[in-house]
Amino acid sequence: MAQNENLAALSAAGVSVWLDDLSRDRIRSGNLADLIATRSVVGVTTNPTIFQGALSKGTAYDEQIKELAARGADVDSAIRTITTDDVRSACDIFTETFERTGGVDGRVSIEVDPRFAFDTDKTVAQAIELWKIVDRPNLLIKIPATEAGLPAITKVISEGISVNVTLIFSVERYRAVMGAYLDGLRNAKIAGHDLARIHSVASFFVSRVDTEIDKRLEAIGTPEALELRGKAGIANARLAYVAYQDVFDGGQHTSTFAGLAASGGATKQRPLWASTGVKNPDYPDTMYITELVAPNTVNTLPEKTMQAFADHGPLEGDKVSGTGAAAQDVFDQLTAVGIDLSDVFDVLEREGVDKFEKSWEELLTATTAELTGGK
C-alpha cells in the first residue's frame, strides 16, 4: 500500500505525524497498522478523554472487564490494566518504526491519572508504575505542565523514563518545561542512565488558545479585535518554536543541551502541536497543520483532521522558522485591544485539567457499573 502523497510530503518536511486516538477496535481491526502503511503515522497519543470514549463504545472491552470482575479487581486497577494493555499492544505495532527511526518515533503515550495533576509525588509514583507495567522502550509517560508537574518531569526523566509533557499553553511555561527536562537529563546522567534512550516531547496546545481568545475578541467587538480572530493559536506556537530553537537548536541558550548531547548523547525535546483539530468551521480544516510546518516537530492529529489533510491539505513549506517577530506582533496587538494573555493561559490550564478529570470520573463510573453488572 502506498503512502498518501500529502502526508508523505508533510513527513518529508520534518513533521512527525502522530494519531491522536487509540482504541482496542482500532488495534484489532488493523486500522492502526493501515494508518502506518498509508497515512505516514509514526506515533500515537492518548489521554483520559480518548480512553473514556473508547471504553464507552462497542463491546471490545466486555470480555476483559468480565474477567477482571471475576478476579475481584477494583475500578482503578481495572482501568489501569485495560489502558496499559492497549498501549502495550500499540507499542508493539510501532516497534519497526521505533527501530527504524532510532527511537525518535514509533512512540505511544499514556497519561498519568489527571487527579494527580497538582500532586508531584503521586504523579511521579504513577509515572514509574505505568512505565514498569507497559514495559516497552517506545512508551512516553504524559505528565501535565502544571507547577506541580514541573518537578515531576525532572524526577521521572532522572529515572531514565521518557516523557510527553502535556497541557502546555504559554511560552513562559514551555521554557520552564524545557528547563525541567534538562534538569532531569543532568540527574539521569549522574545516576548512570543512557541519555540517548531518554526521549521527550513537549505538547503545546493550539486550537484551544484560539477558542478562548476568539471568544474574548468577539466580546470586545471592535474592528481591530475582530481582525485578530484565528491568529493567536498559530502565533503562540510559532513563538514556542523560537523558544525551542533558543534552547535546543543553535540559539543563545543551547550550551546546556549541547554539553549533555556531546557527553551523554542527549536528544532534543521536540515541540509537539496538540489540539490541532479546528474548532471553528469558518477556518480551514487543515490550518493547524499547514501553518505549523517546521523541522523536528510532531503534529498529533485527530483522524478526521488527518484525513482532511490527506484529501486536500496544502503544504507550503516551513511556515514557522523565522516568523518570531511577526508572531510577537500578533501578541502585541492582542494586548493592545485588551486581551489579558496571562489570564487566558491560566484559564486554559485549569480547564484542561478539569476536562481530563471529568473524563476520568466518567470512565471510573462506567467501569464500576461494568464490574458490578450495573448494580
Side-chain angles (χ1 to χ4, degrees), residues 140-188:
L140 291 172
I141 304 296
K142 290 181 79 172
I143 297 175
T146 58
E147 289 187 5
L150 295 172
I153 294 160
T154 296
K155 176 61 177 174
V156 172
I157 291 289
S158 73
E159 296 289 334
I161 296 171
S162 297
V163 172
N164 176 345
V165 184
T166 189
L167 289 178
I168 306 172
F169 295 99
S170 71
V171 175
E172 179 183 12
R173 182 58 57 85
Y174 177 43
R175 284 192 175 274
V177 165
M178 291 188 286
Y181 174 60
L182 293 173
D183 288 344
L185 289 178
R186 278 193 290 261
N187 294 341

Side-chain angles (χ1 to χ4, degrees), residues 209-210 213-214 217 220 224-239 283 291 319 323-341 345:
V209 173
D210 275 335
I213 289 181
D214 282 3
L217 290 169
I220 293 169
E224 294 82 4
L226 297 177
E227 181 64 24
L228 291 168
R229 287 177 297 181
K231 296 182 178 180
I234 291 168
N236 198 35
R238 288 172 173 170
L239 289 172
Y283 300 154
E291 298 298 325
K319 299 294 291 289
T323 62
Q328 184 59 54
D329 183 58
V330 171
F331 266 40
D332 292 343
Q333 291 179 59
L334 289 167
T335 300
V337 299
I339 298 297
D340 184 341
L341 292 167
F345 298 136

Side-chain angles (χ1 to χ4, degrees), residues 283-362:
Y283 300 154
D285 56 1
T286 62
M287 77 174 194
Y288 297 126
I289 307 174
T290 300
E291 298 298 325
L292 292 177
V293 173
N296 210 36
T297 58
V298 179
N299 200 316
T300 180
L301 301 169
E303 187 172 14
K304 179 180 178 182
T305 305
M306 180 187 299
Q307 301 294 15
F309 190 83
D311 178 66
H312 56 265
L315 186 68
E316 301 168 357
D318 182 349
K319 299 294 291 289
V320 178
S321 300
T323 62
Q328 184 59 54
D329 183 58
V330 171
F331 266 40
D332 292 343
Q333 291 179 59
L334 289 167
T335 300
V337 299
I339 298 297
D340 184 341
L341 292 167
S342 294
D343 183 67
V344 167
F345 298 136
D346 287 344
V347 166
L348 287 171
E349 181 178 291
R350 289 196 305 272
E351 288 183 349
V353 172
D354 288 346
K355 178 181 179 181
F356 286 161
E357 280 190 352
K358 181 180 178 181
S359 295
W360 198 257
E361 292 295 341
E362 291 173 356

Side-chain angles (χ1 to χ4, degrees), residues 8 60 68 71 83 89 99 111 118 123 142 168 186 199 201 218 222 230-231 262-264 278 299 303 327 365 375:
L68 291 166
R71 299 207 309 257
T83 56
S89 296
E99 294 174 348
E111 190 154 348
F118 303 108
T123 294
K142 290 181 79 172
I168 306 172
R186 278 193 290 261
H199 284 250
V201 294
E218 288 166 3
T222 63
K231 296 182 178 180
S263 63
V278 175
N299 200 316
E303 187 172 14
T365 299
K375 297 177 182 178

Side-chain angles (χ1 to χ4, degrees), residues 172-287:
E172 179 183 12
R173 182 58 57 85
Y174 177 43
R175 284 192 175 274
V177 165
M178 291 188 286
Y181 174 60
L182 293 173
D183 288 344
L185 289 178
R186 278 193 290 261
N187 294 341
K189 182 181 177 183
I190 293 169
H193 292 290
D194 181 358
L195 300 191
R197 294 180 175 271
I198 303 171
H199 284 250
S200 183
V201 294
S203 296
F204 205 86
F205 281 52
V206 186
S207 68
R208 294 190 197 181
V209 173
D210 275 335
T211 299
E212 179 64 25
I213 289 181
D214 282 3
K215 178 176 65 178
R216 298 183 185 210
L217 290 169
E218 288 166 3
I220 293 169
T222 63
E224 294 82 4
L226 297 177
E227 181 64 24
L228 291 168
R229 287 177 297 181
K231 296 182 178 180
I234 291 168
N236 198 35
R238 288 172 173 170
L239 289 172
Y241 194 75
V242 171
Y244 157 76
Q245 290 180 307
D246 181 44
V247 174
F248 291 110
D249 194 14
Q252 293 183 355
H253 298 93
T254 57
S255 58
T256 299
F257 171 73
L260 290 165
S263 63
T267 65
K268 298 174 183 178
Q269 183 187 54
R270 291 186 294 168
L272 180 154
W273 311 133
S275 181
T276 53
V278 175
K279 308 292 193 296
N280 189 331
D282 293 335
Y283 300 154
D285 56 1
T286 62
M287 77 174 194

Side-chain angles (χ1 to χ4, degrees), residues 61-118:
Y61 298 95
D62 290 358
E63 183 177 347
Q64 185 174 24
I65 289 175
K66 289 178 182 178
E67 292 173 356
L68 291 166
R71 299 207 309 257
D74 62 48
V75 64
D76 285 304
S77 63
I79 291 173
R80 185 164 55 249
T81 298
I82 291 166
T83 56
T84 54
D85 281 358
D86 277 4
V87 167
R88 187 184 304 107
S89 296
C91 283
D92 290 342
I93 292 171
F94 278 104
T95 296
E96 188 277 331
T97 303
F98 177 72
E99 294 174 348
R100 174 173 52 81
T101 62
V104 173
D105 284 311
R107 296 280 174 173
V108 183
S109 298
I110 187 170
E111 190 154 348
V112 296
D113 188 327
R115 295 173 297 179
F116 302 158
F118 303 108

